[in-house]
Amino acid sequence: MIIEMKNIRKSFDGLEVLKDISFGVDSGEVVSIIGPSGSGKSTLLRCATFLETIDGGEILYMGEHAAHTDESGNAVYVSPHELRHFRSYCGLVFQQFNLFPHYSILKNIIDAPVHVQHRNIEEAKTEAMELLSKMGIADKADAYPYQLSGGQQQRVAIARALAMNPEILFFDEPTSALDPELTGEVLKVIRQLADEKMTMVVVTHEMPFAKAVSNRVIFMDGGVIVEQGDPLKVFEDPQEERTKQFLRVFER
């Protein structure tokens, strides 16, 4: 299993955002997380990728503990040096792209492989160009983010995440900032990655996409997993009333 999160708890200013969340993701699996705004989906991804610290529970990558709960009930992380090792397993694609505006597209992609992973710059450039070709934007290598559409910027962000060679990619509502036409561009790329058996966790409001591409769907609400399972089962025959209420909004 690539990642296991067990009994995860997280609060902000006394408000419990994640309440005893447990799930895992196997190699090659695509898991979509759906649910209303404020249900804890993005916080879960930020905890999984170490952008937020958990208050309690366990996080394991490749069977190794990155965080656990001590006898007093507090979360304890491995050392900063060891945490860098765990961070290398995962990549995160944000809602708002988060590209460096003063860097060219090529430099946006090679910066972390060169300066964080200390890889050869020419090899990093070669791989970056291959990734840009895969994304259909090889001609934009020397452009700057402001010169690209939102869909193109998000494809650069995906290429940047892939350039680190992660074991698992997390997507935090990758199309929420895009109009419908550009949304299709980005979803096509994620579908292609799914076909290539890239391990992914996708927080999304795109229900047809989640139904078609996922191996498993998780429905969250109020900081808990309400229901999860096979996409057809969850979408066509949900067992929980809260899931049924949520999905009625998306019925045509």
Side-chain angles (χ1 to χ4, degrees):
M1 191 167 284
I2 302 291
I3 183 174
E4 294 175 83
M5 300 186 78
K6 302 179 180 180
N7 310 113
I8 301 298
R9 294 181 289 106
K10 177 65 180 177
S11 297
F12 293 104
D13 299 322
L15 175 65
E16 200 173 17
V17 178
L18 299 177
K19 308 171 185 178
D20 198 30
I21 292 271
S22 296
F23 83 107
V25 184
D26 282 319
S27 179
E29 192 176 18
V30 179
V31 177
S32 288
I33 304 179
I34 62 173
S37 297
S39 58
K41 306 183 302 294
S42 293
T43 299
L44 183 62
L45 260 58
R46 291 179 67 83
C47 288
T49 54
F50 309 110
L51 293 177
E52 297 283 357
T53 55
I54 59 173
D55 297 330
E58 301 174 67
I59 302 175
L60 298 90
Y61 273 93
M62 314 297 280
E64 297 181 85
H65 272 94
H68 70 278
T69 302
D70 64 15
E71 293 178 359
S72 61
N74 297 314
V76 179
Y77 281 79
V78 295
S79 70
H81 174 74
E82 291 174 296
L83 202 56
R84 282 196 291 273
H85 166 68
F86 283 102
R87 284 195 173 107
S88 71
Y89 287 130
C90 56
L92 177 60
V93 178
F94 301 88
Q95 297 178 33
Q96 299 291 342
F97 327 134
N98 286 17
L99 300 177
F100 294 113
H102 56 296
Y103 284 178
S104 70
I105 297 310
L106 183 63
K107 186 166 172 54
N108 261 284
I109 295 173
I110 70 168
D111 192 62
V114 171
H115 293 105
V116 176
Q117 296 181 332
H118 307 294
R119 286 159 59 189
N120 177 277
I121 189 168
E122 293 305 322
E123 289 178 4
K125 285 181 178 179
T126 298
E127 184 173 337
M129 290 307 301
E130 290 172 355
L131 287 168
L132 286 174
S133 294
K134 184 175 183 175
M135 300 295 144
I137 46 175
D139 60 328
K140 303 297 184 183
D142 296 324
Y144 286 81
Y146 78 92
Q147 297 173 305
L148 273 59
S149 70
Q152 290 171 328
Q153 289 188 58
Q154 192 60 293
R155 282 182 277 163
V156 173
I158 295 171
R160 179 178 62 181
L162 288 170
M164 298 293 282
N165 295 318
E167 295 289 339
I168 183 170
L169 262 187
F170 295 89
F171 293 84
D172 187 8
E173 297 187 23
T175 60
S176 65
L178 305 176
D179 64 36
E181 184 176 359
L182 299 181
T183 291
E185 294 178 7
V186 174
L187 294 182
K188 181 180 178 181
V189 169
I190 300 175
R191 283 174 184 266
Q192 181 183 348
L193 293 173
D195 290 341
E196 296 169 2
K197 301 302 180 185
M198 180 74 202
T199 309
M200 296 184 285
V201 176
V202 186
V203 169
T204 184
H205 289 296
E206 300 292 333
M207 299 301 141
F209 168 81
K211 183 177 179 180
V213 176
S214 309
N215 302 109
R216 180 158 44 101
V217 170
I218 293 174
F219 171 61
M220 285 182 64
D221 190 30
V224 301
I225 293 176
V226 177
E227 187 166 352
Q228 64 176 309
D230 177 86
L232 288 177
K233 179 74 173 173
V234 172
F235 283 109
E236 296 182 6
D237 187 25
Q239 301 302 297
E240 301 295 330
E241 184 57 36
R242 182 64 188 96
T243 316
K244 295 175 185 176
Q245 292 173 356
F246 176 76
L247 291 175
R248 281 192 200 112
V249 176
F250 297 95
E251 290 176 358
R252 297 290 180 260

